[in-house]
Amino acid sequence: MATVRLVHLKAAFRGWTPSPPTAWELLRLPNSSIRAFSSAMSPPSRAIVYDEQGSPDAVCKVKELPPLPIQDSDVCVRMLAAPINPSDINRIEGVYPVRPPVPAVGGYEGIGEVHSVGSAVKGLRPGDWVIPSPPSSGTWQTYLVKEQNVWHRIDKSTPMEYAATITINPLTALRMLEDFVCLKSGDTVVQNGATSIVGQCIIQLARVRGIHSINIIRDRPGADEVKQKLKKLGADEVFTEKQLEVKNLKSLLTDIPEPTVGFNCVGGNAASLVLKFLKHGGTMVTYGGMSKKPITVSTSSFIFKDLSLRGFWLQKWLSSDKSKECRDMIDYLLSLTRSGELKYDMELCPFEEFPTALDKALGKLGSQPKQVIKF
């Protein structure tokens, strides 16, 4: 069986007698096929591990993991940075539709530097910067061994924090702008959750294409400051939910056409506001539900406005053999970060301070920027 070689290697490393493979040993296998023994080994790795599903602050622990063999087609990567995404938290909680078996290492995207490569690896060498593309589980650790086809080399002039976070949120924004309605310069989109990373990316990617954006934010202290910040990114209009408690929302618009498509990541009343803005025949795309409240649609929205409701899940799109297309889009997005045309709020946190970063990501310390672990 494929796990035998790893079990015996661990036995030699730790000095104990091999026993039947555990779930953890199965997890640490770089692949599921039997390959020739390799004498090359990765360094030991420090990792954020959860042995069971549950609240991340209760089940996540820092653990030392033993070295792994580096097979002919493997690449050992020293991780540089990885974000804490809402989907990471959902996987740990056990509520995300697709998640690794436990025990597991957290994280699903990030940036690393090639440490060493197997004898059959071509096109990658030590020192290259790489990201897992499509995203791959287990990025919250100092060293990661996966086959070469997992890794995508990127331009090392890219700011590290953007390279670490480009694959999920910005790619979601790009795909939603391109996949549902044929938008052209002069068109308008509307969205709630505009301060999220996806929201900030939609504003900027729309601006690059000459597309207007109407943005809805929740009522909060300092809302005026938030509005100005989003307008600097390229937002045409920014409204709080309370401002939209009027009978005719479209009377608030001046020179902007009615939106063709809307993006919803909140649900509840915030989703209803997106629907009210849409023009006849418009489409609302839902990609999240932060309020955990359902979407309520009036009968007239379907009959008289002929609105369409769609859903988007990046994981499903990535699983449909989109590897080459995905990497081309990532290179495009990274070029925008290097030119300064795409930016969003993040906070780098040292690996040693992971518990604090996790508390911020969980909302325990109020509204915080995206937390990115720096190894």
Side-chain angles (χ1 to χ4, degrees), residues 85 87-88 108-109 135 165-173 198 314:
N85 288 316
S87 56
D88 296 323
Y108 202 61
E109 67 173 331
T165 57
I166 203 71
T167 312
I168 295 180
N169 292 152
L171 189 55
T172 293
V198 174
L314 183 66

Side-chain angles (χ1 to χ4, degrees), residues 192 262-276 278 283-299 301-302 307-312:
N192 56 36
F263 305 110
N264 164 51
C265 68
V266 181
N269 180 61
S272 299
L273 293 173
V274 170
L275 289 169
K276 289 179 180 179
L278 289 176
T283 299
M284 184 174 78
V285 181
T286 292
Y287 65 100
M290 291 188 296
S291 72
K292 299 182 180 179
K293 294 179 180 178
I295 298 169
T296 303
V297 187
S298 67
T299 303
S301 294
F302 282 126
L307 298 184
S308 298
L309 303 186
R310 301 288 300 277
F312 179 79

Side-chain angles (χ1 to χ4, degrees), residues 158-216:
T158 304
M160 181 176 62
E161 61 272 28
Y162 286 102
T165 57
I166 203 71
T167 312
I168 295 180
N169 292 152
L171 189 55
T172 293
L174 180 59
R175 290 286 10 119
M176 291 196 303
L177 283 168
E178 295 190 353
D179 283 358
F180 296 93
V181 173
C182 183
L183 293 167
K184 58 185 184 297
S185 179
D187 286 343
T188 305
V189 300
V190 59
Q191 65 169 337
N192 56 36
T195 58
S196 68
I197 300 293
V198 174
Q200 293 176 59
C201 289
I202 285 174
I203 291 170
Q204 294 167 91
L205 293 173
R207 181 204 62 209
V208 167
R209 290 162 169 75
I211 297 168
H212 304 290
S213 66
I214 300 167
N215 302 273
I216 304 168

Side-chain angles (χ1 to χ4, degrees), residues 45 51 56 65 73 79 81 97 117 174 198 259 290 317 351:
S45 185
D51 294 316
L65 304 181
S73 60
M79 294 303 295
V117 300
L174 180 59
V198 174
M290 291 188 296
W317 185 86
F351 183 53

Side-chain angles (χ1 to χ4, degrees), residues 22-25 27-28 49-52 63 100-105:
T22 64
W24 177 246
E25 288 161 342
L27 171 70
R28 290 287 289 164
V49 178
Y50 55 102
D51 294 316
E52 59 181 337
K63 292 190 177 183
V102 293
V105 176

